[in-house]
Amino acid sequence: MLGLKLPTDPRWVNIVEKNIEDILTDHAYCEQKATSTAISLIVSFPEYTELVQEMVALVKEEISHFKMVHDLILKKGWTLGRDRKDDYVIQLLTFFPKGGSRTTQLVHRLLYAALIEARSCERFRLLSEELEDKELAEFYRKLMVSEANHYTMFLGFARQYGDRKEVDKKWQDLLEFEAQIMKNLSKSETIHG
Ligand SMILES: [Fe+2]
Ligand SMILES: [Fe+2]
């Protein structure tokens, strides 16, 4: 349903289980970045009224996810650590050439956002099914549902604002590229690592 070309190696969950503090820290920053992306889309594309309205709603939702993760970190007796760079996202964002019309740039940003949501959703599903800590598993099950909706929304906006055929082709190409990136990942306790 998410269109991803390469499923995550389930052994990734074993790596995560050994370091819950690191995964929660990384996850908190994923939610912060999702919030920042939504704000940035508002600032960059203010004339796309429907998008602006949806992004306002998304900012609220993503920052509430950040709070949920932050609360969980505190509940476990930890303090939020520093952000680390996300190699997955850095590599992914090199796919589309820079420049082009405003619409092209918007479509590219929407497709990147859709893919990051899709992969996060897939990873949350795996955590919800495989984690031995049932409370944490349930936490990820709820978030998985939200991220699936975000994936659908971003892809829908890309198709709405761009040329449908062109957008679908770009989406498929981006999915192929992402699968290549994933082949070298799934080895660390980060949401996308
Ligand atoms: Fe989120
Ligand atoms: Fe999201």
Side-chain angles (χ1 to χ4, degrees):
M1 135 235 178
L2 296 163
L4 298 170
K5 306 274 185 200
L6 188 75
T8 294
D9 184 336
R11 282 174 298 183
W12 168 77
V13 179
N14 300 96
I15 300 169
V16 168
E17 280 203 302
K18 291 195 191 91
N19 203 336
I20 297 292
E21 188 172 358
D22 272 11
I23 192 80
L24 288 177
T25 302
D26 183 67
H27 179 181
Y29 287 108
C30 287
E31 301 295 355
Q32 172 266 313
K33 283 168 200 151
T35 311
S36 301
T37 298
I39 294 172
S40 167
L41 283 167
I42 295 172
V43 177
S44 303
F45 302 98
E47 72 274 37
Y48 290 84
T49 303
E50 200 184 329
L51 177 73
V52 171
Q53 292 284 53
E54 285 297 323
M55 288 305 104
V56 172
L58 189 63
V59 167
K60 291 185 196 162
E61 194 184 346
E62 298 291 18
I63 203 68
S64 80
H65 291 169
F66 174 86
K67 180 167 164 49
M68 282 164 68
V69 182
H70 190 234
D71 287 347
L72 190 58
I73 289 170
L74 299 183
K75 196 176 151 195
K76 290 191 178 283
W78 301 322
T79 305
L80 178 64
R82 299 290 300 269
D83 189 17
R84 289 190 300 188
K85 67 181 171 66
D86 189 333
D87 285 326
Y88 168 81
V89 173
I90 291 170
Q91 289 180 60
L92 191 69
L93 300 190
T94 63
F95 184 68
F96 292 121
K98 301 258 176 289
S101 70
R102 274 177 67 69
T103 313
T104 301
Q105 289 176 37
L106 172 61
V107 164
H108 292 170
R109 285 178 64 180
L110 293 168
L111 291 179
Y112 283 143
L115 189 40
I116 294 168
E117 294 284 359
R119 181 59 74 182
S120 304
C121 178
E122 189 243 8
R123 291 258 160 129
F124 290 174
R125 182 187 52 77
L126 206 56
L127 292 173
S128 75
E129 290 172 0
E130 304 289 337
L131 282 175
E132 282 183 19
D133 178 339
K134 290 304 155 213
E135 199 188 341
L136 197 58
E138 176 57 18
F139 178 77
Y140 277 107
R141 195 193 60 77
K142 284 190 202 139
L143 284 175
M144 172 194 73
V145 178
S146 303
E147 307 309 348
N149 289 332
H150 301 163
Y151 149 77
T152 312
M153 175 189 63
F154 279 121
L155 190 56
F157 273 131
R159 285 171 171 157
Q160 180 182 333
Y161 294 137
D163 172 78
R164 175 68 195 247
K165 253 182 92 180
E166 217 173 89
V167 168
D168 284 347
K169 167 86 173 77
K170 283 181 176 181
W171 176 240
Q172 287 308 314
D173 292 347
L174 183 62
L175 284 167
E176 293 287 352
F177 180 72
E178 198 256 2
Q180 292 304 317
I181 297 174
M182 287 312 292
K183 270 192 191 155
N184 301 315
L185 294 174
S186 305
K187 295 179 182 74
S188 71
E189 57 282 273
T190 60
I191 293 294
H192 302 120

